[in-house]
Amino acid sequence: METNSQPSSTKNKTSRSATERSGEVTVAIVYYDGLDDLHECLRCLSAQSLAPRRIVVVDNSEDGLAVELGEGIEILSEGRNLGFAGGNNLALRGTE
């Protein structure tokens, strides 16, 4: 005889459909000089069964990200390298 050790609140969350659960997560990506890696990351995100509510790419380069990343992907930039922590802070401020 199997028993389910999950609390009932967990059962309710996992029983919702993917449509009901989509939109619960915002993804922030801090980008600096790695366009192939960025495209691979975005490809992996699009393959997830639950779509993120928002995808925000922080462009940490000084040149600017001069490519189209896809529909619904927001690009934030200060025009300079803020570092990893600074880039994440910018993303956090941009998603409030």
Side-chain angles (χ1 to χ4, degrees):
M1 178 177 186
E2 286 186 30
T3 59
N4 191 340
S5 61
Q6 290 183 329
S8 60
S9 62
T10 303
K11 289 180 196 175
N12 291 339
K13 287 181 182 177
T14 57
S15 66
R16 294 185 296 163
S17 70
T19 304
E20 292 172 320
R21 290 184 287 166
S22 67
E24 293 180 357
V25 174
T26 296
V27 176
I29 303 166
V30 178
Y31 163 82
Y32 179 81
D33 194 30
L35 193 55
D36 290 339
D37 292 331
L38 178 59
H39 282 295
E40 177 66 11
C41 181
L42 294 172
R43 186 194 66 73
C44 289
L45 283 172
S46 68
Q48 297 298 306
S49 59
L50 299 177
R53 181 174 62 92
R54 290 171 68 188
I55 298 174
V56 177
V57 174
V58 175
D59 180 10
N60 238 358
S61 68
E62 295 176 9
D63 300 339
L65 191 56
V67 296
E68 178 64 35
L69 295 178
E71 186 178 327
I73 299 173
E74 301 170 46
I75 300 174
L76 300 176
S77 178
E78 288 286 317
R80 62 190 175 96
N81 188 344
L82 302 173
F84 184 71
N88 279 296
N89 286 332
L90 178 61
L92 185 61
R93 286 192 305 272
T95 58
E96 292 176 336

